[in-house]
Amino acid sequence: MIGHQAKKLEELVSSNAVKKSKKTRFVAITSGKGGVGKSTISSNLAYVLSQNGFNVGIFDADIGLANLDVMFNVKIKKNILHVLKGEATVADILIPVTRNLILIPGESGDEILKYADKALFERFMNEAEVLDKLDFMIIDTGAGIGEHIQMFLDAADDVIVVTVPDPAAITDAYATIKTIAALRNDIGLIMNQVKGTKEAVSVYEKIKKVALANIGSGLNLKLIGKIDSDLKVSTSVKQRALFSVAHPNSSVHKDITAIANNIAGSLERNVLVSPSESGLSGLFRRLVKHF
């Protein structure tokens, strides 16, 4: 049944290719367990990229614990399921956060695939063109390695695992990396809440050593960056503010800026593609290929 739905969606998405749009880079941020700062990093990363002149969408796929509305201090009334059900338009659910940054309240991949109605999906794809100019779409996935999370990890151009230098978190991060390695060889790692570069590199090297020994030499695990342990981060979260906004001169802002610059280096600039490869349309096109 799901395979049939996916085929219907793929046919619909493939037929939606007339004009040219920017090529969106899809970046999935995930973690082995909750509480390691995944959504905090996702939201601040999206903000910094937008301030660097990129058009950025952040898709909240952390179902059940969706908290990007808290991070950005905005109210969410409807999400992408309301659009697929015909109860709202894409424009209704989009939340402009700042210049160049849009929050897209999402849903899990398996829930999205339940709505394969031809008329509704065609309307959705047409409405989704409003997001065809995105340079980046940051996908804030749920924690763990469930199937609906793997859908987003498989659809992304880049997958980045967030962890902290805590034994339990590191064990969970390794398990996540092992699962992702079945889908792709290139995986990024962000070390959060570290004492500095030395600790970040040390923990990364340990994870990499175990991963290469058990997963295989084909794995390309890269350290994308680190975020220092700083009370400014937790204080900002409690105040419903981004630490990059509240503390622009802090070391943690410099850390997330370095991560943003690292990721921005992978963007293929001035590449025009069909709308079915960009924005929300591009994300859905990739999701349906999972089945």
Side-chain angles (χ1 to χ4, degrees), residues 46 55-59 100-104 134 136-139:
N55 290 312
V56 183
I58 181 163
F59 187 91
N100 296 350
L101 178 58
I102 293 174
L103 172 62
I104 309 158
L134 292 180
F136 288 99
M137 186 180 291
I138 306 298
I139 305 167

Side-chain angles (χ1 to χ4, degrees), residues 17 27 75 82 89 208 215 229-230 239 251:
V27 182
K75 289 185 178 179
H82 293 95
T89 65
K208 185 179 179 182
I215 298 170
S229 182
D230 194 323
Q239 294 173 343
S251 65

